[in-house]
Amino acid sequence: MKVLLINGSPHKEGNTYLGLCEVAKALNEDGIDTEILHVGSRPITGCTGCGVCSQLGKCMYDTDPVNEALEKMKESDGLVVGSPVHYAAASGQITSFLDRFFYAGSGFALKPGAAIVCARRGGTTAALDQLNKYFTISQMPIVSSQYWNMIHGLSHEDVKQDLEGMQTMRVLGHNMAWMLKCIEAGKNAGIVAPVMEAREHTNFVS
């Protein structure tokens, strides 16, 4: 089994990366393979809602990591998204990335997902709520930890001193590994996934 971790920070090995590494370390300890994909330092085109992805099976814009991540997600059993907090929200890069990643993607349903955020001080819960909405609209079970999935600090040393935050990352990794193994055990026991209903679209206009 494998989990894809996406780093949406402009700093490739910044504080968000430290948090993702702690999650990945716990997953690895429990026998789950991991890959961290850094997407935050390159310009990422926002979604234009063109709908061409429904015909191509991928996003029509191929100048950034979105389609690469879609291919990696096909081989992954779970997803972790990491972002710094910018103005009490997720980074602009990860927001543009996820808009297209989820709009063009398919096959995410029933794969566990989790988000982590990193801030110097505040705005973490708002950013975490924003990221979790991508999972809940896609029928992805959300993996939780012993506290909200956040770490705090301005520097690497600050983050390392956030012992509760780093522990939260580890517990998140172990919880995701447990959920993945439970899903696998269910499949092996013959428990079938829910039948996906055809999507109803309503615009609230009578």
Side-chain angles (χ1 to χ4, degrees):
M1 288 178 282
K2 179 179 178 180
V3 171
L4 177 65
L5 300 95
I6 296 176
N7 181 8
S9 171
H11 306 287
K12 186 173 183 178
E13 296 185 356
N15 295 336
T16 302
Y17 176 75
L18 285 185
L20 289 171
C21 285
E22 201 72 4
V23 177
K25 180 181 176 183
L27 284 163
N28 295 156
E29 289 173 355
D30 291 339
I32 308 297
D33 293 331
T34 57
E35 179 180 358
I36 298 178
L37 178 64
H38 178 64
V39 304
S41 58
R42 289 184 278 174
I44 296 179
T45 303
C47 182
T48 61
C50 65
V52 175
C53 55
S54 63
Q55 303 166 25
L56 297 179
K58 64 177 184 178
C59 184
M60 67 171 293
Y61 297 109
D62 211 7
T63 57
D64 53 40
V66 170
N67 286 329
E68 176 188 0
L70 286 171
E71 286 301 311
K72 292 180 182 295
M73 192 60 189
K74 291 177 183 178
E75 303 171 357
S76 300
D77 303 287
L79 175 68
V80 179
V81 176
S83 176
V85 175
H86 293 171
Y87 291 96
S91 72
Q93 290 97 327
I94 197 63
T95 300
S96 293
F97 175 91
L98 292 175
D99 282 354
R100 289 171 44 225
F101 181 71
F102 276 86
Y103 197 58
S106 61
F108 295 177
L110 306 182
K111 292 185 178 183
I116 71 162
V117 294
C118 179
R120 180 189 67 84
R121 187 171 178 85
T124 46
T125 54
L128 192 60
D129 289 345
Q130 174 191 345
L131 293 174
N132 281 337
K133 287 181 173 64
Y134 289 99
F135 308 131
T136 56
I137 200 174
S138 304
Q139 301 185 69
M140 299 175 70
I142 292 182
V143 183
S144 60
S145 186
Q146 63 186 19
Y147 195 79
W148 295 295
N149 303 336
M150 57 186 70
I151 50 176
H152 292 85
L154 183 61
S155 66
H156 274 23
E157 290 309 311
D158 291 341
V159 171
K160 290 175 182 177
Q161 291 181 58
D162 181 9
L163 300 182
E164 184 176 3
M166 294 299 272
Q167 184 181 58
T168 299
M169 299 296 106
R170 292 193 297 274
V171 172
L172 173 62
H174 290 308
N175 286 352
M176 177 166 274
W178 175 83
M179 184 179 287
L180 288 170
K181 291 177 182 180
C182 286
I183 292 171
E184 185 69 15
K187 290 178 181 177
N188 293 337
I191 298 175
V192 297
V195 176
M196 300 297 173
E197 293 190 19
R199 193 89 176 256
E200 298 283 356
H201 290 279
T202 341
N203 61 8
F204 302 105
V205 177
S206 59

